Amino acid sequence: MNMTLTQLRYLVAVARHGSVTGAAKMLNVSQPSISVAIDAVEKNFGQKLFVRQRGSGVSPTSFGRTVVAKARQVLTETDELIGLGSSKSAVGGELVLGCFEDLAPFFAPALIRAFSERHPAVKIVVRDETFETLGRRLGDAAIDLGLTYDLSLPTHFARILLRELRPHALLPAGHALADRLSVSLADLAAYPLITTDQPHSWQHMLDLFRSRGLSPVADTTTSSFELQRSMVANGFGVAVSYTRPHGDRSYDGRPLLCKPLSDPLPMQRILLTYDTHQRVSNAALAFIEVAKNWFASHDIFASASETA
């Protein structure tokens, strides 16, 4: 069976974008060119590689995931072979980094800058992901590495620790607990709890309370971390968070109070992760080393003992 590198790149691009349209835009080719290439490969294999759903893009079949993984391996090794003749960098190719959406704006740009300064021959693509989509896209070979919290990852995924964080409480200015140096989960349970609508996120936060025998009223959910902070700042309730932007103010300028929690709670971990069933490229290995060094040399998130 003859398959060209162009066909392989088309397959990988479609898997990564979940659509022929997105792949065509990234590769700067026509959609029909990619569709024809996929049809030809599927005809050669005698099996479908992608399931096409009206209005929902495409997703790889079980067989398609295997083919895409092998295609990525061939392309990665080809790029690495070409890179051997380059004096600019020993690492080349493409790296797709999936970032949990709450962490992406804090760390992705700085990590990409640090990595690009060291390995300029690597093309980096960054994608915002939820907890659910990140694991699926890693498994589908749509992304190479994931930057996320240690939540909801399959057991066979690698976990490279970058930083551990303590949770802190978010309160509006003027709250009844504002004068305390620290607060407990029991203190917070007396007030409405605002959570995000990420299933693994809100479940984790409720589990923290339940581990202390508490049942907070959590009837307000938000679609994003920043909306959660704004709701707290405007007095709709309290929240628990690991993430803390520089400057304790919400988007609308209202002040927030960040208080350490007095309960002996487990630390949350920021990780780089990948599917160990997939081959790890030299570019991904290089990014891991850059990320480890970057986190080791930078302070992240202001101390939660400070108040706004």
Side-chain angles (χ1 to χ4, degrees), residues 191-195 206 215-221:
Y191 302 92
L193 182 68
I194 301 173
T195 63
L206 291 182
S215 299
V217 176
D219 56 2
T220 301
T221 61

Side-chain angles (χ1 to χ4, degrees), residues 23-77:
K25 183 177 180 180
M26 184 191 77
L27 297 172
N28 196 27
V29 299
S30 68
Q31 294 183 42
S33 297
I34 295 181
S35 296
V36 169
I38 292 176
D39 289 341
V41 175
E42 289 180 335
K43 183 177 180 180
N44 284 333
F45 278 117
Q47 297 188 54
K48 287 292 185 181
L49 301 182
F50 297 96
V51 177
R52 299 164 176 81
Q53 298 176 330
R54 185 182 299 274
S56 301
V58 300
S59 59
T61 63
S62 177
F63 179 69
R65 284 193 290 270
T66 300
V67 172
V68 170
K70 290 294 184 182
R72 285 180 63 232
Q73 181 177 341
V74 171
L75 292 173
T76 296
E77 292 176 348

